[in-house]
Amino acid sequence: MAQKKVYAVAKGIKPGIYKSWDEAKIQVDGFPGALFKSFTSMAEAEDWLKKNSNKMVINKEESHLTDTHSPKSDEIIIYTDGGSLGNPGPGGYGIVQIFGDSIEEIYGGFRLTTNNRMELMGVIVALKSLKQKDHKITIYTDSSYVVNGITKGWAKSWRKNNWIKSDKKPAVNSDLWKALLDLIEPLNIDFIWVKGHAGNKYNERCDELAVSAAKSKNLPVDKGYES
């Protein structure tokens, strides 16, 4: 009888040791520069993973977004992520807030929603939950939809035109865009895009929180979507 293998993933969506190839394959399929190997013993897999877990390649322009990023003492760092299981489907958002030595996690979900609504909701909930709003705030998200909507002025333009886009079609998720614009108006805030599933510790953690929330039972109604 062949000895059962375990699979160590040093670079993938979620690094770690997996007891089946099906589980490991999910973590490395389509992941740029994936690093993984099979072993016949758990001890060998753990040893290899320990030696190779620091081989992640980081682009220079992304280096300030990695686990080594240290916010200034008066800066609030917020990571957010959101998604749905199916689009539409049950959805969730995850948030990690960093201020000084404090790290706070927040998450939530809805029974029927979309990926983009949850990306927006993550930022909205994060800003609503802030206890101090007189500091510099930097939001990191892997949603180009959110970042471009704010930094390129799309959302403000839609609001100015009564939530009608330049192509004369209604702007989607106008309820959440309005809430977000109202929240950021008085704040000193920057929005920065990060590449998803690229090894950023806090981005990965937000994803875990969002997925967990989406899988929860008895989720509330996203009234802005279902109404």
Side-chain angles (χ1 to χ4, degrees):
M1 182 177 178
Q3 192 167 357
K4 191 172 182 180
K5 291 183 177 180
V6 292
Y7 301 85
V9 177
K11 186 178 180 184
I13 295 174
K14 187 175 181 181
I17 296 175
Y18 298 86
K19 294 182 179 180
S20 75
W21 170 238
D22 286 342
E23 292 176 309
K25 189 172 184 289
I26 293 171
Q27 311 305 322
V28 301
D29 263 6
F31 191 96
L35 182 63
F36 57 97
K37 190 175 181 181
S38 65
F39 296 89
T40 55
S41 79
M42 183 65 74
E44 288 178 323
E46 291 174 345
D47 184 60
W48 181 86
L49 185 60
K50 185 176 181 180
K51 291 177 181 178
N52 290 276
S53 60
N54 64 346
K55 289 190 175 181
M56 185 175 299
V57 178
I58 300 170
N59 295 330
K60 289 182 179 179
E61 62 269 24
E62 294 178 346
S63 62
H64 68 295
L65 305 177
T66 68
D67 299 351
T68 59
H69 174 71
S70 299
K72 298 176 182 178
S73 59
D74 60 345
E75 180 184 12
I76 298 172
I77 297 295
I78 300 174
Y79 284 83
T80 70
D81 195 20
S84 60
L85 307 177
N87 195 25
Y93 57 83
I95 302 161
V96 175
Q97 292 183 356
I98 307 167
F99 182 54
D101 296 327
S102 173
I103 298 179
E104 182 179 1
E105 295 183 345
I106 304 170
Y107 58 91
F110 296 89
R111 71 180 189 183
L112 183 65
T113 188
T114 67
N115 291 335
N116 284 338
R117 286 187 68 81
M118 291 300 92
E119 296 281 13
L120 283 164
M121 188 65 76
V123 179
I124 291 168
V125 172
L127 294 178
K128 283 185 174 181
S129 70
L130 287 178
K131 299 177 179 67
Q132 301 183 61
K133 299 185 180 182
D134 56 344
H135 295 273
K136 170 66 185 300
I137 301 167
T138 303
I139 290 183
Y140 294 98
T141 171
D142 60 16
S143 171
S144 57
Y145 174 70
V146 172
V147 174
N148 290 339
I150 296 298
T151 63
K152 294 186 177 182
W154 296 348
K156 283 188 175 181
S157 178
W158 298 335
R159 181 175 62 179
K160 183 179 179 181
N161 293 313
N162 199 27
W163 302 107
I164 299 298
K165 301 187 297 180
S166 59
D167 61 4
K168 308 304 180 183
K169 294 180 180 179
V172 180
N173 305 319
S174 59
D175 60 322
L176 298 183
W177 281 116
K178 181 182 184 303
L180 180 55
L181 288 174
D182 289 346
L183 282 167
I184 67 175
E185 192 70 33
L187 302 177
N188 177 12
I189 188 168
D190 286 330
F191 284 75
I192 297 178
W193 179 84
V194 298
K195 185 176 181 180
H197 305 301
N200 184 297
K201 181 171 76 172
Y202 297 120
N203 175 260
E204 299 284 2
R205 180 55 181 161
C206 287
D207 178 69
E208 291 175 354
L209 292 170
V211 172
S212 177
K215 292 181 178 179
S216 300
K217 296 180 179 179
N218 302 316
L219 290 172
V221 174
D222 180 355
K223 295 180 180 178
Y225 181 75
E226 292 200 47
S227 61

